[in-house]
Amino acid sequence: MKPLVVILAGGIGKTFSPLKINKTLLPIFGKPILQHVIEMVETADFHEALIVTNPENELWLSTYQPFNITLQTIVANPRGMGDALLQARESIGSRPILIINAVDMVEPSFLKTLMKPIQNSYGFITGLKIKRNISAGYIKENNGKAIGIVEKPTPGNEPSDMVNLIFHYFSEPEDLFTIMNKIPTSDDQYEKALTELMAQRTIDIVPYNGSWSKLKYPHHVLDMMNLFLKMNKVNSVARSAIVSPHAVLDGFIIIDENARIDAGAIIRGPAYIGKNVKIGSHTLIRQSVIEEGSIIGFGSEVARSYIGPRSKLHHNFVGDSVFESDINPSWGTTFANWRIDGNNPRLLLPNCSIETDGKKLGSIIAKNVFFGVNCAVMPGVTIGAGAKIYPHKVIAVAVCENEVVK
């Protein structure tokens, strides 16, 4: 019996600030993340999914037509993963379940490999071996079986080198719900219940060795983008797209419907050029995603960046940055991605800063931000929705929502 796939998509994404979009609806390759997850489940030949969602996702789902899977939804306002599952308890019933987090993305082929352990296991969780400490739950194991989950251990105190990915199977989910119902509602209610269940029953560990990305903080949009770019191994130009014979396309590139690539443009793949996008003359795009309706104007360079819908660039440099949507950087504005002292950039928020992993990180810009000419935005800066930056400003600290910098 194939399990009911339970997709958790009801969170509000408090850590995704300054970006305003519901993270499960963030478009990559022209589709919301949630649609990619549904299609991944569908491709793996699961027949039914229950999506624990919120009103915004529910509205989008009401317009979505899947090909070969039956979707149910339950609107919830959960306080953590455990609360979300308990709110879906009645809809789940006694059926076996496979739990997936809507903002976790793996290589789609992995789900197909789960059929064998599903047939032979009371329950399993998925583990990914990593070489460095990350902010995640780590699996405590004994002889290949899971015996606990340790949330966000400090470096050197990890119980193993394996982090917990939310691809969890339970043949008898009522056992988990019974335990969870006795634990007070909290962010780690599910993990506490799971650890208690591990003490009572055998929970296997299914290893995953491929690429993985999770949307937690706003700069993780770049990680998610890179995962999709890495997985694309085709060149595709829509019939309605117009590509100048004097443009240079190098590597795996998708050019979507009604896009236009002008003479002298250079696109180095992997890259995605969305619907109705215009790429002007003498532009350079490297390993980036340009979403629907955006314009990359004359002389601009976009490197390893996510440019959200309807953004308009004018002779800009954008490095390792995230533009949510409807961003207008006027002529000459630059988004720097490398600290002069060589240290890793920190993500700069209005009330705190967050450590990042890489040497390069540009800016995180929420929707509807306007920049005057010749501004310079320093590495790691975040700018809130609706902000306005006057010409010639150097922005080295976070800018709040609707703030005007003169």
Side-chain angles (χ1 to χ4, degrees), residues 127-140:
L128 171 70
K129 286 195 173 185
I130 59 170
K131 297 180 180 180
R132 56 183 175 79
N133 181 277
I134 64 172
S135 178
Y138 279 72
I139 299 172
K140 189 176 181 180

Side-chain angles (χ1 to χ4, degrees), residues 167-362:
F167 295 86
H168 293 181
Y169 169 73
F170 301 98
S171 61
E172 301 175 31
E174 191 59 32
D175 293 347
L176 176 67
F177 293 149
T178 299
I179 297 171
M180 203 151 48
N181 206 37
K182 299 176 183 178
I183 298 173
T185 301
S186 64
D187 287 343
D188 60 352
Q189 179 186 19
Y190 174 79
E191 288 78 9
K192 289 178 179 178
L194 180 56
T195 296
E196 189 171 331
L197 181 64
M198 290 171 179
Q200 300 175 12
R201 302 293 297 265
T202 298
I203 303 297
D204 298 313
I205 302 172
V206 173
Y208 173 64
N209 301 312
S211 299
W212 164 70
S213 184
K214 179 176 182 176
L215 286 180
K216 182 176 181 180
Y217 295 112
H219 60 292
H220 291 159
V221 171
L222 298 175
D223 297 332
M224 187 68 74
M225 175 193 78
N226 287 331
L227 174 57
F228 277 92
L229 291 174
K230 179 181 178 181
M231 290 191 297
N232 177 49
K233 301 298 182 184
V234 299
N235 286 305
S236 174
V237 179
R239 289 187 177 182
S240 57
I242 300 173
V243 179
S244 167
H246 302 292
V248 175
L249 307 182
D250 179 25
F252 294 118
I253 300 167
I254 296 174
I255 301 177
D256 219 326
E257 298 171 9
N258 298 310
R260 191 184 79 197
I261 317 297
D262 287 346
I266 299 174
I267 303 176
R268 304 285 187 197
Y272 170 77
I273 309 300
K275 296 177 181 179
N276 301 304
V277 165
K278 297 179 181 179
I279 308 296
S281 296
H282 305 291
T283 53
L284 173 60
I285 296 174
R286 298 184 283 144
Q287 297 85 50
S288 294
V289 164
I290 316 296
E291 289 292 341
E292 183 173 357
S294 288
I295 298 172
I296 311 300
F298 174 87
S300 294
E301 178 180 354
V302 179
R304 299 173 303 278
S305 293
Y306 173 89
I307 307 298
R310 301 173 302 279
S311 297
K312 296 176 174 61
L313 276 62
H314 311 80
H315 204 91
N316 308 117
F317 170 77
V318 183
D320 301 276
S321 295
V322 176
F323 286 11
E324 181 177 358
S325 64
D326 302 282
I327 312 300
N328 191 108
S330 297
W331 196 98
T333 290
T334 295
F335 299 85
N337 59 350
W338 179 271
R339 285 177 57 101
I340 197 168
D341 59 10
N343 292 330
N344 288 5
R346 295 183 68 88
L347 185 70
L348 304 176
L349 296 161
N351 299 314
C352 67
S353 65
I354 298 172
E355 185 177 353
T356 66
D357 297 327
K359 286 291 185 183
K360 291 186 177 182
L361 175 65

